[in-house]
Amino acid sequence: MDPFSLSVGAIGITQTTLSSISKLRDILNGLEEANDILQDVTFELEAIHHPLSALENLHVSDEPTFLAAKRDLERTGVADAVNKCGQACDKFSKKLDKWTKHSNPTEVSLRDRLSVGLWNREKIRTFRTQVHSCQSIVQFAIDSAQLIILVRSESASKAARHETKKQLQVLETAIQKHVELTTKQQAEVLQRRRDLQSLDDEDDEDDGQRLLTIQETKAQSHFLAADQAACEVVSQILSTLAVPRL
């Protein structure tokens, strides 16, 4: 292996994590009635793999560039996000096994099983938030690592420098739009939590589910906050990049 290879292992992402993500993606692809409910999750699980594969193929020519890119990837929290996402995928795969153990490809009751009760719906919402946040962190973190390597390349041609500057602008715009989206989502989660907290339910069972749902909204806020923090780190990294003049 290249001593300056930015492999997933080099930044702390385990193969067990990647296997858990792949397993859930394959399960969801095989469930016909999962498409309407978890189609976006399936896409984002696939989208997590693409930039990680690109990371494996990055060529780093010298140790200082390798160390800089590795350090900045670690600052974004990408390994923690992916490893925790893998753990969540593993747990969700086990839940799907229970929900679908009496089903078959032509008669799947997944829709009803996933939609029953406020608590299950909110659980799924939390999982989707975590996967989406993980995908965003991975994409932005690795895009920034690629730019670090390009900027540090002394032998870059004029065309390559122009492309680097263009990529930097595109990435900065994408991050800004994403932060705006997560800020809106945070506000929606907070409002949903306030609505739940304002309910005065005398039914003990319903009140128990309400409290569980409130906990789920707190988890959603946590994942969105981690997403925003990673975006802030990437923005800081990009602000320090001195893209060579044309």
Side-chain angles (χ1 to χ4, degrees), residues 24 28 38-46 127-128 131:
L24 179 58
L28 294 178
L38 294 168
Q39 186 177 48
D40 54 342
V41 172
T42 308
F43 289 154
E44 285 172 352
L45 290 174
E46 183 66 41
F127 179 66
R128 291 166 71 171
V131 172

Side-chain angles (χ1 to χ4, degrees), residues 61-79:
S61 59
D62 61 273
E63 185 174 11
T65 299
F66 167 79
L67 292 175
K70 182 175 181 291
R71 180 183 63 247
D72 288 332
L73 279 169
E74 291 170 345
R75 285 176 58 200
T76 64
V78 61

Side-chain angles (χ1 to χ4, degrees), residues 96-108:
L96 282 176
D97 287 341
K98 292 181 180 179
W99 289 338
T100 60
K101 63 181 179 181
H102 299 301
S103 304
N104 59 67
T106 59
E107 188 179 355
V108 181

Side-chain angles (χ1 to χ4, degrees), residues 60-182:
V60 187
S61 59
D62 61 273
E63 185 174 11
T65 299
F66 167 79
L67 292 175
K70 182 175 181 291
R71 180 183 63 247
D72 288 332
L73 279 169
E74 291 170 345
R75 285 176 58 200
T76 64
V78 61
D80 185 59
V82 176
N83 287 331
K84 287 182 178 177
C85 182
Q87 294 169 8
C89 286
D90 188 48
K91 292 178 181 178
F92 202 78
S93 295
K94 292 175 181 176
K95 289 178 182 178
L96 282 176
D97 287 341
K98 292 181 180 179
W99 289 338
T100 60
K101 63 181 179 181
H102 299 301
S103 304
N104 59 67
T106 59
E107 188 179 355
V108 181
S109 58
L110 182 64
R111 184 188 302 275
D112 291 339
R113 293 175 187 273
L114 293 183
S115 300
V116 172
L118 178 62
W119 181 74
N120 275 342
R121 288 201 300 273
E122 208 65 39
K123 272 282 188 183
I124 294 166
R125 194 195 301 266
T126 299
F127 179 66
R128 291 166 71 171
T129 301
Q130 182 174 6
V131 172
H132 178 70
S133 296
C134 176
Q135 187 274 327
S136 300
I137 292 171
V138 168
Q139 190 67 60
F140 290 142
I142 294 178
D143 282 352
S144 68
Q146 290 173 318
L147 279 172
I148 290 170
I149 293 168
L150 285 171
V151 168
R152 282 175 169 265
S153 176
E154 296 291 340
S155 61
S157 65
K158 181 177 180 179
R161 292 197 298 272
H162 178 75
E163 182 63 24
T164 300
K165 186 174 182 179
K166 184 169 67 174
Q167 288 180 20
L168 176 61
Q169 292 170 341
V170 169
L171 182 54
E172 288 174 334
T173 300
I175 291 172
Q176 181 180 355
K177 289 182 178 179
H178 184 72
V179 169
E180 291 172 357
L181 175 62
T182 54

Side-chain angles (χ1 to χ4, degrees), residues 3 14 17 98 131 135 147 151 170 188 195-196 205 211 214:
T14 70
T17 288
K98 292 181 180 179
V131 172
Q135 187 274 327
L147 279 172
V151 168
V170 169
E188 291 171 349
D195 292 343
L196 288 163
E205 183 177 349
L211 292 175
I214 290 172

